[in-house]
């Protein structure tokens, strides 16, 4: 799940460049859930501003000057890998990276996080040349990292990238997920996509699950994994790690 910045949103930032400290950045973790059993199979790391965690990523966007955005992205990645290494053993850690950060990753950066289970890099959409996608993929897989295509269905050329890189995970954009309850055609498309991905060994995650009826339709299409506020909100590690989501409480 890509949390993006609007470059015009921080014109009245809460911090000046001089006041910024990367230690102000922390992470919250949103469970990724097996929709059949309710078992939490992994967590997506999401950047947060210390003391304003409940405001979500928007707190960073609204308060960090544009000139310091690169510093804050690096701090977000460091926090995700460091705090993500404390997750329950056997679970996946999903981490968003920019293209520059992906190329900059080294084995020592991910070593601790890998001791608890697989680390999945959510590939950025904004890579113009297909050869750049493939080269970045080789670099990341060389570090024993898994790959996810994020926000599938929201970008131009998604199917071309899907065929080129054959990711381990495919994350359906929340815009598709939200429309399933009202569009039978969309449900048939998702079901067909799920079947094809399963044959190719690609696991599908539906993002943005917020309504019970959407959850019901996803389960009917055979979509195995999901994340969203209906299942669990992002939370800091100080509040613990969710391991099981009681699915029976979410069924109409």
């Amino acid at each position: 799940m890509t949390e993006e910045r609007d470059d015009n949103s921080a014109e009245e930032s809460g911090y000046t460049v001089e006041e910024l400290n990367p230690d102000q950045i922390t992470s919250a973790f949103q469970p990724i859930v097996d929709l059949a059993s309710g078992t939490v199979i992994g967590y997506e790391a999401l950047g947060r501003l210390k003391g304003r965690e409940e405001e979500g990523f928007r707190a960073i966007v609204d308060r960090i000057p544009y000139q310091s955005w690169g510093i804050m992205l690096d701090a977000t990645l460091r926090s995700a890998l460091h705090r993500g290494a404390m997750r329950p053993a056997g679970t996946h850690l999903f981490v968003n990276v920019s293209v520059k950060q992906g190329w900059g990753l080294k084995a020592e950066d991910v070593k601790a996080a890998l001791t608890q289970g697989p680390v999945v890099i959510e590939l950025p959409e904004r890579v113009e040349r297909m050869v750049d996608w493939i080269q970045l993929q080789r670099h990341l897989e060389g570090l024993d990292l898994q790959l996810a295509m994020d926000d599938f269905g929201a970008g131009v050329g998604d199917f071309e990238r899907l065929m080129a890189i054959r990711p381990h995970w495919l994350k359906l954009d929340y815009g598709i997920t939200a429309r399933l309850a009202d569009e039978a055609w969309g449900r048939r498309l998702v079901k067909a996509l799920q079947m094809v991905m399963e044959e190719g060994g690609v696991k599908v995650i539906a993002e943005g699950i917020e309504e019970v009826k959407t959850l019901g339709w996803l389960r009917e299409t055979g979509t195995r994994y999901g994340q969203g506020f209906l299942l669990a909100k992002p939370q800091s590690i100080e509040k613990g790690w969710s391991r099981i989501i009681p699915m029976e409480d979410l069924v109409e």
Side-chain angles (χ1 to χ4, degrees), residues 181-195:
D182 302 315
E183 296 190 11
W185 173 240
R187 294 194 291 272
R188 289 195 290 271
L189 282 176
V190 170
K191 187 171 185 176
L193 177 65
Q194 172 66 37
M195 292 174 62

Side-chain angles (χ1 to χ4, degrees), residues 10-83:
E11 290 179 357
E12 297 181 4
S13 171
Y15 298 100
T16 65
V17 177
E18 291 75 18
E19 292 172 332
L20 279 172
N21 183 336
D23 291 339
Q24 293 167 312
I25 300 299
T26 186
S27 300
F29 295 85
Q30 185 171 31
I32 295 173
V33 182
D34 183 318
L35 299 182
S37 67
T39 302
V40 175
I41 60 97
Y43 307 86
E44 181 177 357
L46 301 168
R48 294 295 184 261
L49 191 64
K50 286 183 180 178
R52 296 181 178 272
E53 288 88 347
E54 299 304 318
E55 297 179 28
F57 191 69
R58 193 76 206 174
I60 296 179
V61 171
D62 287 343
R63 292 172 175 83
I64 302 303
Y66 177 71
Q67 304 95 308
S68 298
W69 193 241
I71 297 173
M72 291 302 104
L73 280 179
D74 289 343
T76 300
L77 177 58
R78 286 196 301 271
S79 173
L81 293 172
H82 172 69
R83 295 171 76 82

Side-chain angles (χ1 to χ4, degrees), residues 189-250:
L189 282 176
V190 170
K191 187 171 185 176
L193 177 65
Q194 172 66 37
M195 292 174 62
V196 172
M197 292 302 99
E198 187 173 330
E199 290 178 2
V202 180
K203 300 180 180 69
V204 177
I205 300 171
E207 296 184 306
I209 303 174
E210 298 184 355
E211 297 184 8
V212 172
K213 60 182 180 179
T214 301
L215 173 62
W217 282 118
L218 282 167
R219 295 174 77 174
E220 234 180 82
T221 64
T223 304
R224 182 68 182 273
Y225 305 103
Q227 71 182 106
F229 278 22
L230 177 68
L231 302 173
K233 295 181 179 180
Q235 65 182 32
S236 66
I237 63 175
E238 287 76 16
K239 294 183 178 180
W241 299 89
S242 299
R243 300 302 308 274
I244 295 287
I245 304 300
M247 302 301 290
E248 63 274 10
D249 296 344
L250 303 178

Side-chain angles (χ1 to χ4, degrees), residues 63-147:
R63 292 172 175 83
I64 302 303
Y66 177 71
Q67 304 95 308
S68 298
W69 193 241
I71 297 173
M72 291 302 104
L73 280 179
D74 289 343
T76 300
L77 177 58
R78 286 196 301 271
S79 173
L81 293 172
H82 172 69
R83 295 171 76 82
M86 305 175 196
R87 72 192 187 280
T91 58
H92 295 68
L93 174 65
F94 289 74
V95 180
N96 293 278
V97 300
S98 67
V99 176
K100 181 178 179 181
Q101 288 176 316
W103 279 113
L105 281 173
K106 300 180 177 62
E108 56 265 31
D109 298 327
V110 297
K111 181 179 179 180
L114 281 169
T115 61
Q116 293 299 90
V119 174
V120 184
I121 299 298
E122 300 197 11
L123 288 173
E125 291 183 61
R126 295 172 182 173
V127 181
E128 295 183 0
R129 298 192 309 161
M130 193 61 62
V131 65
D132 294 333
W133 275 86
I134 296 171
Q135 289 174 348
L136 179 57
Q137 176 188 20
R138 289 172 180 164
H139 169 67
L140 295 172
E141 288 184 336
L143 299 176
D144 201 25
L145 302 174
Q146 295 185 11
L147 305 178

